[in-house]
Amino acid sequence: MNAIKLIASFLLMLSVGYGLNVKFGSVPPIGKFLNPYTGIWQNETDETTTGTLSIPNLKDKVTVHYDAQLIPHVFAQNENDLYRAQGYLTAKHRLWQMEFQTFAASGRLSEIIGEAALNYDRQERRRGMVYGAEQTLKKMSEDPTTLAQVQAYADGVNSYIAHLKPEDYPVEYKLLDYQPEAWTPKKTALLLMYMTKMLAGGDNDMENTNALRLFGKARFDLLFPDFYNYTEPIIPKDHDWSFINVLQTPHPNTEPVLEAVAETITKPDPNYGSNNWAVSKEKSATGHAILANDPHLGLNLPNIWFVMQLSTPNHNVFGATLPGALGIISGFNEHISWGETNATRDVIDWYKIEFNTNRTHYKYNKEWKPLKKRVEHIKIRGQEAYRDTVLYTHHGPVVYDKNFKSDNNLSGYAMQWTGFIPGNGQKTFTEMNKAKNYDDYKKALKHWVAPAQNFVFASTEGDIALWVQGQFPNKWEGQGKFVMDGSQPENDWQSFIPQKFNAHVKNPKRGFVSSANQTPVDEAYPFYVFNDGYETYRNRVINNYFNSKAQFSVDDFKDLQNNNYNLKASELMPYMLSLMDTTRFNSDEKEIYQLAKHWDYNNAMDEFGPSIWKAWWDVLYDMVWDEFEVENMALTTPFTYQTIALLKNNGDDDFMDLINTPEKETAKDLFRLSFSEAVKNLNTWKTKHGSLKWVNYKGTFAGHLLQALPAFSRFNIPIGGGKNIVNATAENWGPSWRMIVEMTSPPTALGIYPGGQSGNPGSQFYDNFIDKWAAGDYYQLHFLPNDTATKAIIGTQTLTPLK
């Protein structure tokens, strides 16, 4: 409770001179917050692991074993009871987190925070987040089994909420002075949309259109090629695609619309990614297939994942769950294991829309088609609600118009997104949890629409596989790079790639499968795929590792997940150093230069080299692309791989010239200029913070979801790694769940994540995994065979039907 008391003391100080029961801005009513009967002092942890609880609507007894990490092992007699118990237990440990995320997804933060969140809420409503969740809910409702399971989960959450008294509310409710509301299946759909936005909510159509207009097509193609000169795709290059008998959509010879907005809506962090891989039984040191997964997401507290074992007489599964959604997302059962990385395919396209004079219709196929209006009532704490009318076309919502980030009265820009396609992703996981072999895994994937994911697979039978799964439009060559004319039907998505033709591989000759957000395929794949910001470094380190010897062990997997080799730096820094004229270096520059020369390109915590590289690269990158610093124009600079290729191979290109100097600079000049600037920046940083060691310079932290609560966060986490590194730990994102599963019978597994099972900042289980995670260690995942097993169990709780 020390962190909570610190916050309480701070808020008490703020309350001086103010009424004790009045809320001022983001400060809660201090009287309520500090009330000895209902306030902060009542927030002791609810982490009982023994006893009996009665739960409404249970059909039979549910046994919950807890291990020393507060991981619940849940044994139910039927699936509806299982998911009702999952909902109850997740709410017990993570209620505020799961609800807050759905408020964020649905554009309702103004209800909690006030007017400061209004622009965010308007953006999310216009992005169509609620609309997309409604489509998902409709699809789930078509399947009675899924709907019953989602409702059972909601009932479990609500059973927990119903027994809470105000004094029992999680501390965040007291800080923000509101109370939990009932959980519904729609909230689960919103949680799934939240993840869809996080992983498939990015695009550069507007920015690309501006760049095309600014630089011309030839220069654009140089900066943003569809494929790099070197690729290491997810599906090996020698893959046979001759089984595909559907043609790519032919090009309609339409031209892009050379117009775009000056400011775009916020997009997910492009650094979010993941690693996964699996080796065959022949390539395993023990003769069992081995699988690993580590999704790279924001480092938040509470952590994005909540680990559980979920069991009925018909299936037994263990792994990471998403608070608010059913089943295990990344995990294993008695027969298979699986995990995901983000496929990052371009699944958002933009269309310019022309309205009639009273904005009731839009031009399409030489006719006027009626617009649909969706009135969004946004409640604002302490104020009247804000009403925003969002227009919908057959493409999707008109995000930008005269009322939002645009000033043209008779036109707007509509978004088409696979996030709006009805899908039952919940069924993918409930079926995957029960899958027994490759065919079951493949069948479960058919329900998955968005976000596109690379699903890795391994089985006790020895099979390994990887599917790039999602619903992908069958685009014509170049479709989706730039803004299109929404009045022309040929610019619509004409069809979708049949699911069976999604890129996939089973038991490849090389003996392993892997993905690290790189391009899914090479140019031989017969459908259009272009460079959507694919990763180019982690994947090569991983594949080189698995090509380096004949067999691999679980310890090898640990080493690889914690691998700190900086391939990106190794491909440019030696070249830069070799071109440096050191004769005019000052003493500071000489010191940094020598440190850089002796770096072995390992981003270990105590190294100085990673700090020098990052400071140097950041300045150099901005110098190279100063042409993109254009006022009132949304632009995205070229990706890292192509930037380095141009620096090394096109050093005298006009892009190397600094536009604000009279001289004509080359890449060599930029290396020297950026080095001097980086040295100054490093010394300024060192003066302020002390050490240039990478652990200090990077400053990894896990922040509370309410970013204004530093006392609920963890700072200066002692870990190496970095962007484009297998151990992809940067400032505030990284491996959010590390899992390794050896497919013995039953499987044996290791796992850890940077957080803890409890969402209560006063709990010993709130952040207790972080130090072990940072050190590269793991917990044994105790996969219990049945409800009578008690190995490693510290307590047992029984949930019984309420009579």
Side-chain angles (χ1 to χ4, degrees):
M1 293 294 289
N2 290 337
I4 296 176
K5 292 177 181 178
L6 177 63
I7 289 291
S9 300
F10 172 69
L11 292 172
L12 181 61
M13 178 187 70
L14 289 179
S15 71
V16 175
Y18 293 92
L20 283 180
N21 288 291
V22 179
K23 180 175 172 62
F24 290 88
S26 61
V27 181
I30 304 302
K32 293 181 182 178
F33 186 69
L34 298 180
N35 186 303
Y37 302 105
T38 61
I40 183 66
W41 315 110
Q42 295 297 317
N43 276 92
E44 298 301 333
T45 57
D46 176 17
E47 282 154 9
T48 52
T49 58
T50 59
T52 300
L53 291 171
S54 295
I55 307 297
N57 300 317
L58 278 181
K59 302 300 181 185
D60 211 329
K61 179 185 74 171
V62 176
T63 300
V64 183
H65 296 308
Y66 279 96
D67 63 27
Q69 283 72 53
L70 202 68
I71 294 173
H73 304 252
V74 186
F75 293 86
Q77 300 307 306
N78 61 79
E79 289 187 15
N80 283 354
D81 278 358
L82 180 71
Y83 296 124
R84 185 172 283 105
Q86 184 186 4
Y88 183 92
L89 294 166
T90 305
K92 175 181 176 180
H93 298 289
R94 298 291 188 88
L95 176 62
W96 177 82
Q97 172 195 7
M98 56 196 286
E99 184 176 69
F100 184 77
Q101 290 177 157
T102 64
F103 269 68
S106 56
R108 294 181 59 195
L109 291 183
S110 297
E111 296 179 32
I112 305 170
I113 296 172
E115 190 178 15
L118 178 58
N119 285 338
Y120 171 86
D121 287 346
R122 289 190 67 198
Q123 171 184 273
E124 298 311 290
R125 304 289 182 102
R126 285 179 165 267
R127 200 194 298 266
M129 293 291 286
V130 179
Y131 170 75
E134 290 168 353
Q135 307 315 303
T136 297
L137 184 58
K138 287 178 184 177
K139 188 66 176 180
M140 289 195 298
S141 299
E142 293 174 6
D143 184 81
T145 299
T146 299
L147 184 60
Q149 292 169 346
V150 173
Q151 186 60 60
Y153 185 97
D155 290 344
V157 175
N158 292 331
S159 295
Y160 178 74
I161 294 173
H163 95 272
L164 289 178
K165 299 176 183 178
E167 57 265 30
D168 302 321
Y169 292 164
V171 64
E172 291 88 351
Y173 287 106
K174 296 177 181 181
L175 278 167
L176 297 171
D177 190 30
Y178 75 112
Q179 61 187 24
E181 65 182 25
W183 193 265
T184 64
K186 184 176 180 179
K187 284 183 178 286
T188 292
L190 281 165
L191 186 279
L192 296 174
M193 274 299 292
Y194 185 76
M195 295 304 298
T196 300
K197 184 191 83 168
M198 184 185 296
L199 300 173
D203 74 279
N204 292 315
D205 298 18
M206 295 285 182
E207 293 85 351
N208 288 347
T209 300
N210 286 331
L212 178 66
R213 187 173 72 252
L214 194 63
F215 303 119
K217 188 175 188 306
R219 299 294 273 167
F220 180 90
D221 290 343
L222 171 69
L223 302 181
F224 300 97
D226 282 356
F227 289 90
Y228 295 127
N229 59 10
Y230 175 84
T231 57
E232 183 74 27
I234 292 172
I235 309 303
K237 291 181 180 180
D238 59 357
H239 195 73
D240 181 10
W241 302 108
S242 62
F243 68 96
I244 295 178
N245 57 10
V246 172
L247 298 177
Q248 178 183 317
T249 299
H251 198 295
N253 296 317
T254 60
E255 295 295 327
V257 176
L258 293 182
E259 300 176 24
V261 296
E263 179 189 3
T264 60
I265 56 178
T266 59
K267 301 170 187 177
D269 190 328
N271 296 308
Y272 287 165
S274 307
N275 303 320
N276 64 24
W277 58 76
V279 297
S280 66
K281 59 184 180 181
E282 292 80 14
K283 207 169 179 67
S284 164
T286 62
H288 303 288
I290 313 173
L291 176 145
N293 187 204
D294 55 291
H296 306 154
L297 299 168
L299 301 182
N300 293 322
L301 290 172
N303 187 269
I304 193 171
W305 303 108
F306 181 67
V307 177
M308 303 182 80
Q309 180 175 354
L310 301 173
S311 180
T312 71
N314 297 319
H315 79 287
N316 191 4
V317 62
F318 195 120
T321 74
L322 279 172
L326 280 63
I328 302 298
I329 307 300
S330 170
F332 60 96
N333 62 27
E334 294 164 305
H335 310 282
I336 75 164
S337 57
W338 71 94
E340 304 84 21
T341 68
N342 200 22
T344 68
R345 289 280 277 277
D346 177 33
V347 291
I348 294 178
D349 285 345
W350 290 91
Y351 296 86
K352 183 182 178 183
I353 303 300
E354 181 181 346
F355 304 130
N356 64 346
T357 54
N358 59 359
R359 290 165 50 93
T360 59
H361 291 71
Y362 67 103
K363 184 177 286 187
Y364 181 73
N365 198 20
K366 300 179 181 180
E367 296 180 352
W368 290 101
K369 192 178 178 73
L371 286 157
K372 295 180 180 178
K373 293 185 177 181
R374 184 182 178 106
V375 180
E376 300 286 357
H377 291 272
I378 304 175
K379 296 178 182 178
I380 306 174
R381 185 165 193 157
Q383 297 184 31
E384 291 185 6
Y386 183 94
R387 192 176 75 169
D388 194 8
T389 300
V390 183
L391 305 175
Y392 275 73
T393 69
H394 71 286
H395 303 292
V398 177
V399 179
Y400 305 103
D401 63 9
K402 68 172 186 175
N403 297 316
F404 190 80
K405 297 184 183 294
S406 182
D407 57 5
N408 195 319
N409 217 23
L410 296 180
S411 69
Y413 297 92
M415 179 174 73
Q416 186 159 18
W417 184 23
T418 55
F420 301 144
I421 299 174
N424 189 355
Q426 227 7 137
K427 191 168 185 177
T428 291
F429 291 114
T430 55
E431 289 197 357
M432 189 79 77
N433 288 189
K434 296 182 287 187
K436 296 182 179 180
N437 50 44
Y438 174 78
D439 288 338
D440 289 345
Y441 150 84
K442 188 169 67 170
K443 181 181 176 183
L445 291 180
K446 292 181 179 179
H447 305 289
W448 190 259
V449 171
Q453 297 288 287
N454 306 307
F455 285 87
V456 71
F457 164 90
S459 73
T460 54
E461 295 176 347
D463 290 324
I464 60 171
L466 196 150
W467 274 78
V468 183
Q469 178 56 28
Q471 190 160 342
F472 302 116
N474 182 357
K475 296 186 175 186
W476 39 262
E477 200 74 17
Q479 186 176 15
K481 272 190 180 182
F482 311 107
V483 176
M484 294 178 282
D485 184 349
S487 70
Q488 299 184 36
E490 56 266 35
N491 287 333
D492 290 357
W493 293 349
Q494 304 298 312
S495 64
F496 291 90
I497 297 173
Q499 192 271 339
K500 63 183 178 180
F501 297 149
N502 282 349
H504 62 278
V505 63
K506 178 186 178 186
N507 296 332
K509 294 178 182 178
R510 65 186 186 180
F512 72 92
V513 292
S514 72
S515 73
N517 315 116
Q518 74 266 42
T519 181
V521 292
D522 63 8
E523 292 156 288
Y525 185 63
F527 297 109
Y528 178 59
V529 175
F530 76 94
N531 184 1
D532 191 35
Y534 292 120
E535 220 284 333
T536 49
Y537 299 100
R538 284 184 282 115
N539 62 296
R540 286 191 281 152
V541 172
I542 292 167
N543 285 9
N544 289 341
Y545 187 73
F546 284 120
N547 285 320
S548 68
K549 60 180 184 177
Q551 291 186 325
F552 295 86
S553 67
V554 167
D555 284 339
D556 291 325
F557 273 44
K558 292 180 187 177
D559 291 342
L560 184 54
Q561 283 192 334
N562 290 278
N563 183 292
N564 287 324
Y565 183 64
N566 194 329
L567 177 61
K568 179 171 78 173
S570 75
E571 292 187 340
L572 182 61
M573 188 182 269
Y575 179 73
M576 293 196 294
L577 292 171
S578 71
L579 294 180
M580 300 291 282
D581 179 3
T582 64
T583 58
R584 297 183 180 179
F585 275 0
N586 60 36
S587 59
D588 290 336
E589 290 171 341
K590 288 178 181 177
E591 180 184 2
I592 295 297
Y593 179 80
Q594 288 301 318
L595 289 171
K597 278 195 70 175
H598 291 92
W599 181 37
D600 63 356
Y601 302 104
N602 190 302
N603 273 39
M605 286 192 300
D606 293 333
E607 292 280 355
F608 297 102
S611 306
I612 298 169
W613 161 254
K614 186 177 188 310
W616 193 358
W617 170 253
D618 287 349
V619 176
L620 174 63
Y621 185 85
D622 288 344
M623 284 186 175
V624 174
W625 303 124
D626 58 341
E627 291 85 357
F628 284 74
E629 297 173 9
V630 181
E631 192 173 348
N632 296 322
M633 184 179 292
L635 289 167
T636 297
T637 49
F639 302 124
T640 295
Y641 185 89
Q642 193 67 0
T643 301
I644 291 177
L646 291 173
L647 284 167
K648 294 174 71 173
N649 303 315
N650 299 64
D652 59 353
D653 189 276
D654 287 345
F655 276 116
M656 305 300 154
D657 183 31
L658 294 172
I659 59 178
N660 291 325
T661 66
E663 296 82 14
K664 174 72 163 63
E665 287 87 5
T666 65
K668 182 178 179 180
D669 298 319
L670 297 188
F671 296 157
R672 179 67 181 91
L673 291 167
S674 59
F675 181 76
S676 293
E677 186 67 27
V679 170
K680 293 177 185 176
N681 293 343
L682 285 166
N683 283 329
T684 299
W685 196 94
K686 183 179 180 181
T687 300
K688 185 176 180 180
H689 300 281
S691 172
L692 287 179
K693 287 184 178 180
W694 181 230
V695 67
N696 303 109
Y697 192 76
K698 177 161 65 81
T700 296
F701 70 95
H704 187 273
L705 281 173
L706 289 178
Q707 297 177 11
L709 295 178
F712 293 175
S713 306
R714 276 286 302 273
F715 296 95
N716 300 314
I717 297 173
I719 190 169
K723 184 178 179 182
N724 303 114
I725 291 171
V726 178
N727 180 19
T729 309
E731 183 182 15
N732 189 224
W733 51 267
S736 61
W737 159 244
R738 290 196 187 114
M739 177 184 74
I740 300 172
V741 187
E742 184 175 5
M743 298 311 297
T744 51
S745 294
T748 51
L750 303 171
I752 197 165
Y753 63 80
Q757 287 287 91
S758 176
N760 189 326
S763 168
Q764 64 174 312
F765 298 103
Y766 178 65
D767 59 0
N768 58 307
F769 296 165
I770 288 180
D771 290 333
K772 192 166 184 171
W773 168 83
D777 293 333
Y778 299 77
Y779 285 105
Q780 184 74 39
L781 301 180
H782 301 292
F783 188 39
L784 305 184
N786 51 57
D787 62 355
T788 62
T790 56
K791 179 184 177 182
I793 296 307
I794 63 170
T796 298
Q797 200 167 49
T798 304
L799 309 182
T800 61
L802 179 66
K803 297 181 181 179

